[in-house]
């Protein structure tokens, strides 16, 4: 039932419907039902040419352009309607307008910390990515911030509950998936209700598509009746979903402006291995305490105002809350950053490319999905050619068959450029973690696939020279010991039709 709901309320439903219409027209043409079919063909060529011309002139990633041009040219009726359906919409424009207003408001409380960047340069740190993130991701780089890395969801959840119980002023929660019947959510909800009764400003936001089968309809009203302010980001509606393709994939918890949590961990029991779905669930996350928490406060408020279509929030209170806490003397630098599909700037993709391009010894990656563009592939090739050790850890047991088949279609390409590929034998890897040279790391919600890199709202931290980076690399090595390395021989032992399907799926990888 859950899978049926997700199908009906997704772009796939519209795609299947229009594809069936296309099959009907082709059938009519083949059996000669209509003598006017030649007029359809003339009109088809004209309309296809107009749409292709429009697409060629769009500011868009080349892979998306190629997919759309081929769909419009090969299956015209399906291609036209699906293209127009996903590229137009009043709802999308409303979201963009609200998002822009919120960003403008928050920018009044933000300034680039040039002193910290100069300090990084004097310490011999690479600062080009920090400068880029401060402009594209919209956040500063911070020092005096404690960064704690969690190699597993169970450990992070314990600290989340502890910090929630300590809240005194406000709690901000933003998650892609919240399962109402899960142990995780019930434990969190009990604390939130109690805190709301005691005067704490509690705000919860969850994604409409991510929670469509996991949260009852109008559950936001139930939470509001308990004193919890709630927003459903982009609630889904059948056939009105030009914005359904752009989901809020972030996981953010901010408490009092003092500490923040993020990473791959949602509020559902498989993330802490209380429920077993795809073997052992390997996930990672982090906690920040100190100045860098302000970055995540800004991210949450931006999305809250976007979902609510209003900027009527006490920004002064929330964004300056960190001043109430004593400063830390933590080592290293933290640059929180976010990625939005509204600005045509692939911030997450560019951050990963920079990690690969500037690495000197190694780049180790954990990701659940691997469906990448030429920029990341070329950066990996460039890194290996310079003598950098590049390793990629992927799931041994997949959660979704099509993305798994797609990811495996890249294995041969990775072998050819010298990238080592590993699969996590105990189960599913949901971590989104990249570390290099014992100096730099990115941990957050950004997968190595088109959806995360181009279509979703995402967030992460770029950490430089923090003690937690050693913990990340140690975790990578421990995880590698539980993986099996995939060799070219093993890949060729896969059935030919499986390998062919993976290659064929690349044709529509940007739209599925």
């Amino acid at each position: 039932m859950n899978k049926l709901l997700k199908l009906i309320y997704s772009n796939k439903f519209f795609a299947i419907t229009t594809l069936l219409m296309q099959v009907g027209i082709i059938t009519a043409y083949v059996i000669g039902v209509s003598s006017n079919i030649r007029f359809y063909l003339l009109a088809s060529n004209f309309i296809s040419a107009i749409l292709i011309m429009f697409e060629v002139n769009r500011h868009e990633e080349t892979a998306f352009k190629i997919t759309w041009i081929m769909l419009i040219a090969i299956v015209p009726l399906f291609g036209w309607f699906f293209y127009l359906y996903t590229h137009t919409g009043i709802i999308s424009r409303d979201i963009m307008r609200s998002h822009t207003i919120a960003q403008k408001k928050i920018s009044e409380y933000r300034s680039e910390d040039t002193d910290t960047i100069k300090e990084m340069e004097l310490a011999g740190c690479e600062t080009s990515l920090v400068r880029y993130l401060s402009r594209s991701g919209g956040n500063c780089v911070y020092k005096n911030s404690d960064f704690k890395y969690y190699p597993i969801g169970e450990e992070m959840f314990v600290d989340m509950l502890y910090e929630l119980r300590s809240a005194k002023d406000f709690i901000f929660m933003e998650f892609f998936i919240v399962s109402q019947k899960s142990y995780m959510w019930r434990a969190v909800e009990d604390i939130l209700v109690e805190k709301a009764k005691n005067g704490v400003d509690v705000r919860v936001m969850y994604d409409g598509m991510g929670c469509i089968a996991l949260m009852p309809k109008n559950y936001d009203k139930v939470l509001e009746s308990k004193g919890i302010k709630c927003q459903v980001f982009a609630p889904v509606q059948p056939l009105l979903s030009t914005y359904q393709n752009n989901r809020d994939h972030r996981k953010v918890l901010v408490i009092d402006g003092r500490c923040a949590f993020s990473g791959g961990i949602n509020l559902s029991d498989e993330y802490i291995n209380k429920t077993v779905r795809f073997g052992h669930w390997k996930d990672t996350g982090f906690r920040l305490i100190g100045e860098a928490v302000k970055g995540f406060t800004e991210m949450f408020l931006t999305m809250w105002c976007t979902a609510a279509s209003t900027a009527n929030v006490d920004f002064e209170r929330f964004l300056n809350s960190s001043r109430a806490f004593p400063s830390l003397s933590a080592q290293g630098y933290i640059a929180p950053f976010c990625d939005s599909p509204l600005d045509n700037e692939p911030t997450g993709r560019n951050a990963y490319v920079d990690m690969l391009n500037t690495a000197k010894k190694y780049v180790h990656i954990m990701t659940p999905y691997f469906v990448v563009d030429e920029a990341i592939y070329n950066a990996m090739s460039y890194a290996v050619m310079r003598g950098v050790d590049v390793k990629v850890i992927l799931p041994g047991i997949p959660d979704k068959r099509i993305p798994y088949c797609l990811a495996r279609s890249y294995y041969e390409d990775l072998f050819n450029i010298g990238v080592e590929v590993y699969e996590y034998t105990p189960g599913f890897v949901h971590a989104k973690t990249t570390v290099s040279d014992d100096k730099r790391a990115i941990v957050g919600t950004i997968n190595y696939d088109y959806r995360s890199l181009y279509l979703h709202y995402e967030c992460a931290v770029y950490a430089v020279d923090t003690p937690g980076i050693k913990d990340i690399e140690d975790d990578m090595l421990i995880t590698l010991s539980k993986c099996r390395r995939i060799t070219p021989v093993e890949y060729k032992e896969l059935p030919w039709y499986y390998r062919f399907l993976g290659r064929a799926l690349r044709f529509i990888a940007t739209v599925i």
Side-chain angles (χ1 to χ4, degrees):
M1 185 63 182
N2 289 351
K3 290 183 178 179
L4 179 61
L5 273 175
K6 286 189 175 181
L7 175 63
I8 293 173
Y9 282 81
S10 71
N11 292 337
K12 294 183 180 68
F13 180 76
F14 186 87
I16 292 169
T17 303
T18 52
L19 192 56
L20 289 174
M21 291 170 61
Q22 179 75 60
V23 170
I25 289 176
I26 293 173
T27 303
Y29 173 72
V30 171
I31 65 177
V33 170
S34 173
S35 60
N36 295 321
I37 198 72
R38 63 181 180 276
F39 295 110
Y40 160 75
L41 293 175
L42 287 171
S44 171
N45 289 336
F46 177 75
I47 296 171
S48 294
I50 295 296
L51 291 178
I52 288 172
M53 181 178 66
F54 180 78
E55 177 61 19
V56 166
N57 285 279
R58 278 174 57 85
H59 178 64
E60 192 172 50
E61 172 64 24
T62 302
F64 286 86
K65 289 186 178 185
I66 292 172
T67 299
W68 284 120
I69 289 170
M70 293 185 70
L71 285 175
I72 292 167
I74 296 173
V75 279
L77 185 68
F78 165 73
W80 306 337
F81 282 103
F82 197 43
Y83 181 79
L84 293 172
Y85 170 72
T86 56
H87 285 72
T88 60
I90 296 173
I91 299 175
S92 295
R93 290 194 291 271
D94 287 343
I95 285 181
M96 182 176 292
R97 190 179 304 113
S98 300
H99 193 75
T100 301
I101 292 172
Q103 285 184 314
K104 186 176 180 180
K105 280 280 188 181
I106 287 174
S107 67
E108 297 173 7
Y109 298 88
R110 180 193 299 141
S111 60
E112 185 176 6
D113 191 345
T114 54
D115 290 339
T116 301
I117 293 176
K118 289 178 181 177
E119 182 181 307
M120 292 179 68
E121 290 174 339
L122 290 173
C125 299
E126 170 63 45
T127 60
S128 58
L129 181 54
V130 165
R131 293 180 186 274
Y132 168 75
L133 292 176
S134 70
R135 291 168 172 79
S136 63
N139 295 110
C140 306
V141 59
Y142 300 90
K143 55 182 182 178
N144 299 327
S145 300
D146 179 69
F147 172 82
K148 181 177 181 179
Y149 172 76
Y150 297 97
I152 198 70
E154 293 91 314
E155 294 180 11
M156 178 166 150
F157 187 55
V158 171
D159 282 3
M160 284 172 62
L161 293 179
Y162 174 81
E163 297 292 354
L164 282 168
R165 294 189 187 101
S166 304
K168 292 179 173 58
D169 186 13
F170 65 87
I171 296 171
F172 293 162
M173 299 189 71
E174 175 186 352
F175 283 85
F176 178 60
I177 289 175
V178 179
S179 177
Q180 188 250 344
K181 295 181 179 180
S182 68
Y183 163 79
M184 284 188 80
W185 172 247
R186 291 197 305 271
V188 167
E189 186 181 24
D190 288 345
I191 298 173
L192 299 184
V193 171
E194 179 186 351
K195 290 298 177 179
K197 287 180 181 178
N198 293 331
V200 175
D201 188 333
V202 181
R203 303 183 185 223
V204 174
M205 182 162 55
Y206 55 86
D207 184 79
M209 177 62 79
C211 298
I212 186 172
L214 300 173
M215 296 292 270
K217 189 177 181 181
N218 298 323
Y219 197 72
D220 53 325
K221 302 296 188 297
V222 174
L223 291 178
E224 287 173 359
S225 70
K226 299 178 180 180
I228 298 170
K229 298 171 185 175
C230 185
Q231 294 285 347
V232 180
F233 182 82
V236 294
Q237 305 171 54
L239 304 182
L240 293 174
S241 66
T242 60
Y243 72 147
Q244 285 179 196
N245 220 26
N246 305 129
R247 307 314 314 178
D248 182 4
H249 192 242
R250 302 176 187 179
K251 297 90 179 167
V252 175
L253 170 60
V254 180
I255 300 167
D256 294 343
R258 179 183 59 83
C259 74
F261 293 85
S262 189
I265 299 153
N266 284 295
L267 299 181
S268 187
D269 287 346
E270 62 268 28
Y271 291 87
I272 57 171
N273 288 291
K274 197 167 184 68
T275 297
V276 177
R277 294 185 63 196
F278 309 104
H280 182 264
W281 193 286
K282 167 66 178 175
D283 218 330
T284 62
F286 61 86
R287 184 195 66 192
L288 293 176
I289 293 177
E291 296 177 7
V293 174
K294 184 180 178 183
F296 281 91
T297 308
E298 292 178 2
M299 289 182 208
F300 177 87
L301 289 174
T302 299
M303 292 303 288
W304 180 268
C305 294
T306 300
S309 298
T310 179
N312 186 24
V313 172
D314 188 352
F315 295 103
E316 179 76 25
R317 172 194 168 192
F318 297 124
L319 294 179
N320 292 326
S321 59
S322 59
R323 294 178 180 175
F325 302 103
S327 61
L328 302 176
S329 298
Q331 297 177 15
Y333 308 90
I334 299 290
F337 68 95
C338 51
D339 201 352
S340 164
L342 303 178
D343 57 10
N344 290 318
E345 181 67 31
T347 304
R349 191 279 305 268
N350 290 343
Y352 286 149
V353 168
D354 185 87
M355 291 279 285
L356 288 158
N357 283 344
T358 56
K360 293 179 174 60
K361 297 177 182 177
Y362 73 82
V363 178
H364 294 163
I365 298 166
M366 272 195 282
T367 179
Y369 314 113
F370 191 86
V371 186
V372 299
D373 60 8
E374 287 298 309
I376 289 181
Y377 177 78
N378 290 338
M380 285 184 165
S381 178
Y382 175 57
V384 173
M385 291 288 284
R386 291 185 293 108
V388 176
D389 171 35
V390 180
K391 291 181 170 67
V392 179
I393 299 174
L394 291 156
I397 300 175
D399 67 332
K400 301 180 183 72
R401 293 292 175 182
I402 289 178
Y404 186 57
C405 185
L406 255 172
R408 285 183 147 194
S409 76
Y410 287 85
Y411 284 11
E412 191 168 23
D413 298 327
L414 295 176
F415 298 150
N416 290 338
I417 61 174
V419 173
E420 296 180 16
V421 180
Y422 295 82
E423 290 185 348
Y424 182 63
T425 307
F428 181 62
V429 167
H430 191 255
K432 303 95 166 52
T433 302
T434 301
V435 61
S436 73
D437 296 348
D438 297 334
K439 289 182 64 67
R440 306 188 302 154
I442 294 175
V443 186
T445 69
I446 310 170
N447 298 316
Y448 279 73
D449 70 352
Y450 282 104
R451 291 212 149 270
S452 273
L453 299 175
Y454 293 100
L455 299 176
H456 287 168
Y457 299 87
E458 305 281 0
C459 66
V461 289
Y462 171 53
V464 181
D465 282 345
T466 68
I469 291 174
K470 182 181 185 303
D471 297 331
I472 296 173
E473 177 57 11
D474 288 346
D475 180 45
M476 283 283 185
L477 297 177
I478 291 171
T479 304
L480 280 168
S481 71
K482 300 175 183 178
C483 295
R484 66 189 185 100
R485 183 176 177 182
I486 307 300
T487 65
V489 173
E490 286 180 287
Y491 175 75
K492 289 180 180 178
E493 288 176 353
L494 293 172
W496 69 267
Y497 53 84
Y498 184 88
R499 286 180 279 133
F500 174 80
L501 177 62
R503 294 281 180 175
L505 284 170
R506 289 203 204 179
F507 170 60
I508 56 172
T510 60
V511 295
I512 59 174

